Every structure is written in structure tokens, then in C-alpha cells.
């Protein structure tokens, strides 16, 4: 209580192991609910698991998510109740979908991916500008970009395909046509090695949610 810190999870006791004698023992589920009335600095470490993380409507000030060999879906279905300073995502050999990043209200977003399939949906209610740094080693990356914000992408790619649908190349950047006059902007620094980058566009909150459901299916 003195530090305002809570640690939830599993840790090994001594050097003991786990013996699995039936498939039923593999079916283990943890359901964790968090209060929407307190400010949260969240650090999530997800191992070999299938995870669904709903952060919509909470009061998230900072976020740090690490995933291993997992299938993970993270969403901000409703706007964050407070400004978020930074959101960090790190994925190993994983399938990751992050939806409603426009609702996160994070000033800075960073994603680092190893091998896998990744969808980053920046749809939602944009109340201010944001910067994002994305690094993808090997795999397929889908960017769902907001029509209601100006978008600029600075890209460094090697053996990667990129289809800049709806973006105009201006020197070293790819800009949306409304970037110069937009009140709110999303600036992306994108680095990819081997794979492909796909661009899709999402509009209001409802449309972003529908696109996310299609992606999840």
C-alpha cells in the first residue's frame, strides 16, 4: 500500500517442474479486472499464451507490454480517461493485434517486433497529436491509419515491400493529403527488414471497431 504497487502472476517455487498428464491440465485461464477509478502504470509480460487485453476506459498513464511465443490482442475500445505518456510494445515470435491506438491518448508509442504477423490499428478518437516508432524484423505488418488525423511516415526498409495507399511521397516522407492542415497528427518512424507493410485506412470509432473485428476473425 505504501508504494501503490501490485504484482500479479506466477513464479516457480524452487527448482520444481510441472508435470502434465492430460490435455485438461493445459487449459489454464487467468481473468484479471482493473479499476477504472485509479491511475495505472501497467507492465504486462505474456509468455506462451493466448491473451486478450482490453484497456478501453481505464486511466492508463504508462504501458509496457512484452509478449513471447503468443497470440495477443490488445484494444482500446474507448478513449483513455487520462493522457498517457508512453506505450511500449515488444513481441518475439508472435501474432499481435493492437486496436484503437487513437483512443490510447499516448504521446509516444513504440513497437518492436521480431518474427510474426502484426496489426497496428491507429483508429479511435484523436484528441491530440502523437508520435510512433515501429521496428519490424521479419514478418507482415499491417498499419490501419486514421483518416481524421494527418499522417506522416518516415521509412527505412530492407527487402520489404510497401504499398503507400493514400499517401503522397514528399522527399524522404510519405504524407497523407491532409497532413499540412491537420489539427492533430500522427508521425511514424518505420523500420523493416524482411517482409511486407500494408496500409489500410479507418475513420470514426465505429468503423475502427468493425475493422478490428474483421482483423480478429
Amino acid at each position: 500500500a505504501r508504494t501503490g504497487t501490485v504484482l500479479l502472476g506466477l513464479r516457480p517455487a524452487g527448482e520444481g517442474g510441472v508435470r502434465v498428464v492430460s490435455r485438461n491440465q493445459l487449459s489454464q485461464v487467468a481473468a484479471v479486472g482493473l479499476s477504472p477509478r485509479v491511475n495505472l502504470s501497467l507492465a504486462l509480460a505474456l509468455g506462451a499464451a493466448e491473451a486478450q487485453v482490453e484497456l478501453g476506459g481505464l486511466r492508463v498513464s504508462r504501458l509496457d507490454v512484452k509478449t513471447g511465443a503468443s497470440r495477443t490482442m490488445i484494444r482500446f475500445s474507448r478513449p483513455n480517461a487520462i493522457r498517457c505518456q508512453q506505450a511500449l510494445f515488444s513481441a518475439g515470435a508472435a501474432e499481435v493485434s493492437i486496436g484503437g491506438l487513437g483512443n490510447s491518448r499516448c504521446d509516444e508509442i513504440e513497437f518492436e517486433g521480431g518474427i510474426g504477423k502484426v496489426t497496428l490499428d491507429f483508429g479511435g478518437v484523436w484528441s491530440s497529436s502523437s508520435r510512433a516508432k515501429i521496428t519490424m524484423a521479419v514478418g507482415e505488418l499491417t498499419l490501419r491509419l486514421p483518416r481524421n488525423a494527418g499522417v506522416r511516415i518516415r521509412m527505412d526498409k530492407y527487402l520489404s515491400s510497401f504499398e503507400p495507399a493514400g499517401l503522397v511521397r514528399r522527399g524522404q516522407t510519405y504524407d497523407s493529403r491532409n497532413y499540412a492542415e491537420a489539427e492533430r497528427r500522427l508521425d511514424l518512424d518505420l523500420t523493416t527488414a524482411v517482409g511486407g507493410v500494408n496500409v489500410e485506412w479507418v475513420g470514426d470509432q465505429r468503423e475502427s471497431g468493425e475493422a478490428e473485428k474483421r482483423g480478429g476473425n
Side-chain angles (χ1 to χ4, degrees):
R2 290 193 302 271
T3 63
T5 302
V6 177
L7 175 63
L8 301 177
L10 299 173
R11 63 176 58 175
E15 298 180 357
V18 177
R19 182 185 180 191
V20 178
V21 296
S22 71
R23 293 183 61 86
N24 291 335
Q25 290 180 322
L26 293 175
S27 179
Q28 301 181 56
V29 177
V32 179
L34 300 172
S35 171
R37 294 193 293 268
V38 296
N39 292 357
L40 300 170
S41 178
L42 290 178
L44 307 177
L46 307 170
E50 182 168 343
Q52 296 188 26
V53 181
E54 170 60 77
L55 301 175
L58 296 179
R59 300 175 65 87
V60 180
S61 62
R62 296 183 68 91
L63 179 63
D64 187 352
V65 180
K66 295 180 174 64
T67 70
S70 65
R71 182 180 182 186
T72 302
M73 177 179 289
I74 303 168
R75 314 181 269 201
F76 291 86
S77 62
R78 290 181 292 155
N80 192 355
I82 61 174
R83 289 296 305 169
C84 170
Q85 298 176 22
Q86 189 178 55
L88 305 175
F89 303 94
S90 176
E95 180 178 346
V96 180
S97 175
I98 306 175
L101 283 167
N103 286 333
S104 72
R105 301 182 65 196
C106 288
D107 297 326
E108 296 182 5
I109 298 169
E110 292 188 19
F111 179 89
E112 182 175 351
I115 301 173
K117 182 178 181 180
V118 175
T119 299
L120 302 179
D121 177 359
F122 290 89
V125 178
W126 279 79
S127 58
S128 62
S129 297
S130 181
R131 298 187 63 88
K133 180 179 179 181
I134 302 169
T135 304
M136 188 75 186
V138 179
E140 179 183 345
L141 172 64
T142 298
L143 298 175
R144 291 180 176 153
L145 303 176
R147 292 194 186 99
N148 55 345
V151 177
R152 168 170 286 174
I153 297 178
R154 295 179 179 86
M155 188 166 187
D156 182 8
K157 65 185 181 72
Y158 175 75
L159 295 179
S160 295
S161 62
F162 176 51
E163 295 295 334
L167 297 168
V168 178
R169 185 165 187 173
R170 294 189 172 97
Q172 301 298 315
T173 67
Y174 295 88
D175 296 357
S176 62
R177 290 180 173 83
N178 66 333
Y179 182 82
E181 64 271 11
E183 294 183 7
R184 301 171 183 87
R185 295 174 178 173
L186 170 63
D187 288 276
L188 288 162
D189 290 325
L190 176 59
T191 302
T192 66
V194 179
V197 180
N198 305 312
V199 172
E200 300 176 2
W201 294 88
V202 293
D204 57 21
Q205 178 105 17
R206 179 182 58 81
E207 183 178 343
S208 173
E210 291 174 354
E212 182 179 324
K213 290 179 182 177
R214 291 195 296 271
N217 294 334

